[in-house]
Amino acid sequence: MKKRLIPYVVIVAILAALFILVIRPAGDAKKVTRTEFLMDTIVESLIYTKDSKLGDEALTYAYREISRLEKFLDRHISGSDVTKINQAAGREQVLVSVDAMEVIIRSLEVGELSGGAFDITIAPLIKLWGFGTGDTQIPGEAELSEALDLVDYRQVQVDREAGTVFLQHAGVELDLGGIAKGFIIDKAVEVLRDKGITSAYFDAGGDIRVLGDKPDGTPWRIGIRHPRDRRDIAAIVEIRDSAIVTSGDYERYFQVNDERYHHIIDPQTGMPARGLISVTVVAADAFTADAYSTAVFVLGLEQGIALVESLPGVEAILITEDEQVHITSGLAIQITEDEQVHITAISKGW
Ligand code: AMP
Ligand code: MG
């Protein structure tokens, strides 16, 4: 009996050593957090690092990158690249930053792939509805059709070599609101990665990008807000090293006679897109997730799912007006005992 005990003791000792080696480093990771108001929203971040001074410094650089990029991409900031492009519409080419060039080129690609559902020349319609001004209104037919004539992403002429952008007609205007946050948090996370950070969470008002896993090796668990009850969570999604972005009709809207008018506009009709009330996209990067969450919202359930299924590495969670949750084929839903909807990837790395 005594003899047989020895191997067990050895095994326990080896396991204990392994436990210390594998688990302890995670236990050593310190949590460094920061919250700032940028891009018209609350930007929250959290990183795990053994060196909290390095973590703090990395976050400073990441937030600095956000402020830098915001100044190029916001059409409300005078002197931004987007403002300059809009002001020169129909007149001249504008030399822009490499970052603005990158966002515009990538956005036009999404415009093509979504059949124009995603359109960065949406500004005349957004302005007409008054979103972002605090003075919203239902537009009249004549002004709606006038604005609709100006919305067409094919009016954006890009000269990559020269580094210039030109809007072919006066009155055409860019609005990167459907994409800028995603693009910017990708860049912020790249800064963290360059500084040696391997575990991080970045949330810009619901546009989320995570780096690596949590220190204990488990994925990040992200709650998707219930579109009709802000205190409730519609689903929990587990992701690692990727991005998750939600577009919802509850983010910016006004109501007239019980009808909700929100900020995601169908470029075909000039009206708020109907059918879906929340679209969450999971992708490797936040640019993709942000662009397609808006595009899918406009396309609606069937066409939206078809588009996502055609894109490798992209999945979506769609909530319809009747509050039903739909998922694309690379995801699995599990309802836990406490009736929580749990969504995990089945076919993708994340
Ligand atoms: P998101 O919350 O990412 O879906 O972005 C919504 C924002 O995108 C709006 O506030 C507008 O600035 C812009 N937007 C609205 N409709 C569209 C559209 N069809 N294509 C591209 N951008 C849009
Ligand atoms: Mg978006």
Side-chain angles (χ1 to χ4, degrees), residues 75-76 114 116-123 125-126 131-132 151 175-182 205 207 245-248 251-252 262-268 271 273 279 289-295 297-298:
R75 74 175 167 89
H76 299 103
S114 65
F118 186 79
D119 193 323
I120 51 168
T121 62
I122 201 80
L125 285 167
I126 299 294
F131 290 110
V151 175
D175 174 346
L176 303 179
I179 190 57
K181 278 195 286 177
D207 284 31
V245 176
T246 300
S247 289
E251 288 168 337
R252 281 187 181 174
H262 62 85
H263 68 143
I264 304 171
I265 304 293
D266 184 342
Q268 295 270 349
M271 300 296 287
V279 174
D290 196 359
Y292 286 105
S293 66
T294 310
F297 198 107
V298 171

Side-chain angles (χ1 to χ4, degrees), residues 4-15:
R4 288 190 58 198
L5 252 179
I6 297 164
Y8 288 119
V9 172
V10 173
I11 290 167
V12 170
I14 291 171
L15 283 178

Side-chain angles (χ1 to χ4, degrees), residues 15-319:
L15 283 178
L18 272 176
F19 180 80
I20 289 165
L21 276 174
V22 178
I23 308 295
R24 264 288 295 284
D28 282 351
K30 295 181 188 79
K31 190 160 136 179
V32 185
T33 62
R34 191 171 299 194
T35 304
E36 281 185 30
F37 193 82
L38 284 167
M39 305 189 282
D40 205 21
T41 193
I42 296 166
V43 183
E44 286 183 286
S45 55
L46 181 166
I47 60 180
Y48 287 106
T49 169
K50 285 189 194 140
D51 181 349
S52 49
K53 194 165 163 271
L54 171 90
D56 222 38
E57 188 187 288
L59 280 178
T60 299
Y61 281 106
Y63 277 87
R64 212 173 276 172
E65 178 71 348
I66 296 178
S67 314
R68 184 183 76 82
L69 291 169
E70 188 184 12
K71 289 189 188 97
F72 290 135
L73 306 180
D74 191 334
R75 74 175 167 89
H76 299 103
I77 295 180
S78 75
S80 74
D81 283 356
V82 170
T83 303
K84 285 189 215 157
I85 295 167
N86 289 345
Q87 283 169 348
R91 283 192 298 111
E92 57 188 1
Q93 326 253 348
V94 175
L95 194 63
V96 299
S97 62
V98 283
D99 300 291
M101 181 61 95
E102 184 188 343
V103 188
I104 292 167
I105 290 174
R106 291 172 74 186
S107 299
L108 295 175
E109 280 165 15
V110 178
E112 279 293 323
L113 283 169
S114 65
F118 186 79
D119 193 323
I120 51 168
T121 62
I122 201 80
L125 285 167
I126 299 294
K127 285 166 77 175
L128 190 57
W129 283 91
F131 290 110
T133 63
D135 189 16
T136 45
Q137 51 163 356
I138 303 173
E141 256 176 55
E143 34 179 18
L144 199 59
S145 98
E146 218 172 279
L148 270 169
D149 283 345
L150 296 168
V151 175
D152 182 359
Y153 68 97
R154 287 162 296 199
Q155 295 277 335
V156 186
Q157 213 178 67
V158 170
D159 186 335
R160 204 192 281 252
E161 303 289 290
T164 58
V165 177
F166 176 53
L167 303 176
Q168 288 170 346
H169 287 96
V172 177
E173 270 187 68
L174 299 183
D175 174 346
L176 303 179
I179 190 57
K181 278 195 286 177
F183 176 79
I184 292 176
I185 61 168
D186 277 343
K187 297 287 178 188
V189 166
E190 269 168 40
V191 169
L192 296 182
R193 205 201 307 257
D194 288 349
K195 295 276 167 198
I197 305 297
T198 53
S199 175
Y201 166 93
F202 233 96
D203 178 354
D207 284 31
I208 295 166
R209 169 85 191 259
V210 300
L211 194 57
D213 299 323
K214 288 201 282 185
D216 62 2
T218 59
W220 300 87
R221 288 157 54 90
I222 312 291
I224 301 176
R225 206 194 110 163
H226 190 292
R228 290 293 175 264
D229 182 356
R230 64 164 55 243
R231 288 152 307 170
D232 198 7
I233 280 176
I236 291 176
V237 189
E238 291 192 351
I239 56 164
R240 15 170 70 101
D241 219 6
S242 53
I244 180 163
V245 176
T246 300
S247 289
D249 73 349
Y250 50 84
E251 288 168 337
R252 281 187 181 174
Y253 71 96
F254 64 97
Q255 249 164 318
V256 177
N257 301 331
D258 282 345
E259 184 84 30
R260 185 187 290 249
Y261 298 93
H262 62 85
H263 68 143
I264 304 171
I265 304 293
D266 184 342
Q268 295 270 349
T269 61
M271 300 296 287
R274 297 274 179 240
L276 296 170
I277 58 176
S278 166
V279 174
T280 300
V281 171
V282 188
D285 61 89
F287 179 96
T288 305
D290 196 359
Y292 286 105
S293 66
T294 310
V296 169
F297 198 107
V298 171
L299 287 171
L301 186 66
E302 278 88 24
Q303 285 189 58
I305 288 184
L307 175 62
V308 172
E309 297 290 7
S310 75
L311 302 166
V314 182
E315 299 295 339
I317 299 142
L318 307 88
I319 306 180

